[in-house]
Amino acid sequence: MWYYATICPYCIALKIQSMYQKSHGLVSLFLVSWFLVYFVSCKPVAQQKNLSENTSITFASAADEQIFTEVERATFQYFWDGAEPTSGLARERYHNDNVYPQNDKHVVTSGGGGFGVMAILVGIERNFITREEGRQRLEKIVGFLEKADRFHGAWPHWWNGETGKVQPFSRYDDGGDLVESSFMIQGLLCVRQYFKEGSATEKTLAERINKLWKEVDFNWYRNEKNVLYWHWSPNHAWRMNFAVRGYNECQIMYILAASSPTHGVPAEVYHEGWAQNGAINQNPSGYKDIKLQMHHQGDASESGPLFWAHYSYLGLDPRGLKDRYADYGKENTNHALIHYNWCVENPKQFKGYGPDSWGLTSSYSIKGYAGHAPGMKRDIGVISPTAALSSFPYTPKESMAAMKNWYLNKKDKMWGPFGFYDAFSETENWYLPRYLAIDQGPIVVMMENYRSGLLWKLFMSCPEIQTGLKKLGFESPYLK
């Protein structure tokens, strides 16, 4: 098992939007649900072999496997039936109540879209769609990415999905977003590896992706320093001024920058910028006897939001991944365990918290959008299902307990056309029928990584990534 979690000060500062919610009605529960919870919970969770072996898991029961597959299938549909039709990409948000206060249903996202192309591969492998259907959708997406606004090879955080023109994320954030672009590239490289030995048509798709990857100018985003900057704008240049330093969700950006075959950055950018010459290990976060190895940005004394254990590791396999700063399998597992134990101990006495309902991360919240995490200030009683579900590789037993409880006992309040809604609060009786791409994507990908290692195997098979990891001094079972 592994753990991991932290809170993103950058995203929280940038992403707070005026989002309005309305609560969801209550529906009575069926007695059979209680019986199933009791019956299934008495059995052990799915067993998995040594984490360094990319083997498939065996579920403890047919009921467990059925629920697991249904959650995977429904969440995948966010990126299939729920996609924006012109671009084929994931919408930034989908509101099942059809209320869009900012009239932004047409907005698509580079980061969430990157998670989405990985989800499409899951859909193919799980027979939710055919290989041909998946390839056609991915061709549409790649065609959009080839023509849409880019800035020194990096895409913006948001586009108008109907035109491909940048949709400003904030006043000065109207250009390239290297972090979100890295999430897209992580996904596209998985697609490239999936199709590169296929038919002539599939090989052409892989080659088009390779061209997009090679065109991202990571060196430009150094701003002539040994650090990577989150944003650059043709109108405001470096005014956003976010030099990205660890630890947060952005490690994959540095891995890709070191791995680029055309615009690769020297190792010093990672060690001096991301790791701050070792300062990343000063004042590490932790909760009681669960210790982390690195300091989570944002003064997160316990840990940051749990998505930090997910975004960079959708393709980058943390199992056995080590450098001079951390053992990332151990770090991510402990991060998730901190969230689990915080919610079980529930020091703020929120209603509904416990071993079968846990997980805090950045998501919709009672008042807009918030970066939920362990801590007396950051925990406000809002649980986001993506936190526990995307942590299946780290906490399979604990994640399974939460998934079954929500599916069997709270489905009437929490479930919609694309799986579990983004967040809820039993304390406030708040159930919002809305979704965010950046929360749905990691559910599909990490559940499949737990199940088969699919995306991990694809991404880690990239020769450039292996070269880049060696360049930075990493150890991994994939490196020979």
Side-chain angles (χ1 to χ4, degrees):
M1 294 170 62
W2 324 331
Y3 302 61
Y4 212 156
T6 78
I7 205 161
C8 175
Y10 309 115
C11 285
I12 295 169
L14 292 173
K15 295 189 177 188
I16 294 178
Q17 306 289 329
S18 299
M19 302 173 183
Y20 303 101
Q21 306 89 3
K22 64 182 182 179
S23 55
H24 209 43
L26 296 175
V27 182
S28 60
L29 301 176
F30 294 104
L31 291 176
V32 68
S33 298
W34 293 102
F35 170 77
L36 287 172
V37 168
Y38 174 79
F39 178 76
V40 178
S41 65
C42 290
K43 297 188 177 183
V45 74
Q47 300 300 307
Q48 186 170 15
K49 297 182 180 180
N50 189 303
L51 290 174
S52 65
E53 306 172 8
N54 288 312
T55 52
S56 297
I57 56 93
T58 301
F59 289 92
S61 71
D64 281 11
E65 184 172 11
Q66 184 176 5
I67 294 172
F68 191 99
T69 299
E70 180 55 26
V71 171
E72 227 182 340
R73 185 198 311 273
T75 311
F76 155 78
Q77 291 296 336
Y78 182 92
F79 303 95
W80 194 252
D81 291 340
E84 193 282 320
T86 304
S87 64
L89 276 170
R91 303 179 192 271
E92 167 67 10
R93 66 190 90 252
Y94 185 95
H95 293 176
N96 206 38
D97 55 9
N98 204 33
V99 176
Y100 291 87
Q102 298 188 19
N103 193 29
D104 57 357
K105 187 176 182 179
H106 63 288
V107 172
V108 295
T109 168
S110 52
F115 303 162
V117 300
M118 301 170 96
I120 290 172
L121 298 182
V122 175
I124 295 171
E125 286 295 297
R126 288 289 147 206
N127 295 313
F128 303 155
I129 55 173
T130 67
R131 186 180 179 98
E132 179 69 9
E133 287 172 331
R135 179 190 60 77
Q136 289 177 357
R137 174 66 64 85
L138 290 164
E139 284 182 338
K140 173 183 280 193
I141 290 170
V142 168
F144 177 86
L145 294 174
E146 290 169 336
K147 298 175 183 177
D149 284 349
R150 277 191 287 170
F151 307 88
H152 295 277
W155 295 287
H157 191 132
W158 286 340
W159 299 277
N160 181 322
E162 298 169 354
T163 66
K165 297 301 181 183
V166 61
Q167 178 85 14
F169 191 77
S170 63
R171 181 177 180 183
Y172 301 117
D173 184 1
D174 60 356
D177 184 314
L178 193 61
V179 172
E180 299 295 320
S181 294
S182 294
F183 297 146
M184 174 60 78
I185 290 294
Q186 179 180 218
L188 289 176
L189 287 177
C190 290
V191 175
R192 184 194 74 178
Q193 295 302 100
Y194 190 81
F195 287 110
K196 68 184 180 69
E197 302 297 337
S199 67
T201 303
E202 291 174 347
K203 288 179 179 178
T204 297
L205 175 60
E207 291 167 1
R208 291 167 66 190
I209 288 171
N210 206 40
K211 184 174 184 292
L212 290 172
W213 153 232
K214 290 181 177 180
E215 289 172 348
V216 181
D217 192 348
F218 291 95
N219 261 305
W220 171 266
Y221 284 85
R222 291 172 61 186
N223 191 17
E224 301 182 347
K225 302 178 181 67
N226 278 346
V227 67
L228 292 174
Y229 280 75
W230 197 306
H231 316 89
W232 179 81
S233 162
N235 300 310
H236 308 289
W238 304 101
R239 184 160 183 173
M240 291 293 292
N241 197 32
F242 276 125
V244 181
R245 306 184 188 279
Y247 181 79
N248 51 39
E249 77 273 28
C250 304
Q251 188 179 29
I252 190 64
M253 175 178 67
Y254 278 89
I255 302 297
L256 291 169
S259 303
S260 171
T262 49
H263 301 285
V265 305
E268 289 76 16
V269 175
Y270 178 77
H271 297 298
E272 296 177 21
W274 171 256
Q276 306 162 69
N277 292 311
I280 195 171
N281 295 122
Q282 295 177 4
N283 301 313
S285 302
Y287 178 62
K288 295 190 175 180
D289 61 342
I290 306 174
K291 306 300 181 184
L292 298 176
Q293 300 156 82
M294 296 177 290
H295 176 73
H296 289 193
Q297 292 286 343
D299 296 321
S301 58
E302 291 83 7
S303 82
L306 201 44
F307 78 92
W308 285 6
H310 306 143
Y311 286 13
S312 280
Y313 308 99
L314 300 179
L316 182 67
D317 190 344
R319 300 177 298 177
L321 185 70
K322 303 175 185 178
D323 66 4
R324 70 182 72 170
Y325 311 109
D327 176 329
Y328 294 93
K330 179 180 178 181
E331 182 79 356
N332 289 1
T333 299
N334 283 344
H335 189 168
L337 285 176
I338 285 172
H339 278 244
Y340 172 77
N341 281 277
W342 173 270
C343 290
V344 169
E345 295 178 15
N346 193 13
K348 298 185 72 174
Q349 298 298 301
F350 289 120
K351 183 180 179 180
Y353 278 32
D356 58 1
S357 193
W358 62 277
L360 313 174
T361 196
S362 298
S363 70
Y364 277 136
S365 194
I366 300 165
K367 296 181 179 179
Y369 182 94
H372 314 107
M376 298 306 287
K377 292 183 179 179
R378 291 188 173 96
D379 182 9
I380 59 173
V382 174
I383 288 177
S384 310
T386 185
L389 298 177
S390 302
S391 296
F392 255 103
Y394 312 134
T395 52
K397 175 184 175 183
E398 296 84 352
S399 296
M400 183 68 79
M403 181 181 71
K404 291 196 295 185
N405 174 39
W406 297 331
Y407 187 86
L408 297 171
N409 295 328
K410 302 181 186 299
K411 192 176 179 183
D412 57 323
K413 301 176 184 178
M414 295 175 57
W415 185 267
F418 306 130
F420 293 113
Y421 292 129
D422 194 56
F424 69 96
S425 172
E426 290 194 45
T427 299
E428 299 293 332
N429 193 28
W430 175 80
Y431 298 89
L432 184 71
R434 300 179 181 180
Y435 299 96
L436 291 171
I438 54 174
D439 290 337
Q440 297 306 101
I443 295 174
V444 184
V445 175
M446 291 301 265
M447 287 180 72
E448 187 59 37
N449 277 335
Y450 166 66
R451 194 173 201 172
S452 70
L454 174 66
L455 288 313
W456 284 335
K457 287 185 279 188
L458 288 169
F459 184 78
M460 298 300 286
S461 72
C462 296
E464 313 98 308
I465 299 303
Q466 294 182 15
T467 298
L469 289 171
K470 291 177 182 177
K471 174 179 173 180
L472 299 179
F474 277 88
E475 299 175 24
S476 167
Y478 295 91
L479 304 180
K480 301 176 181 178

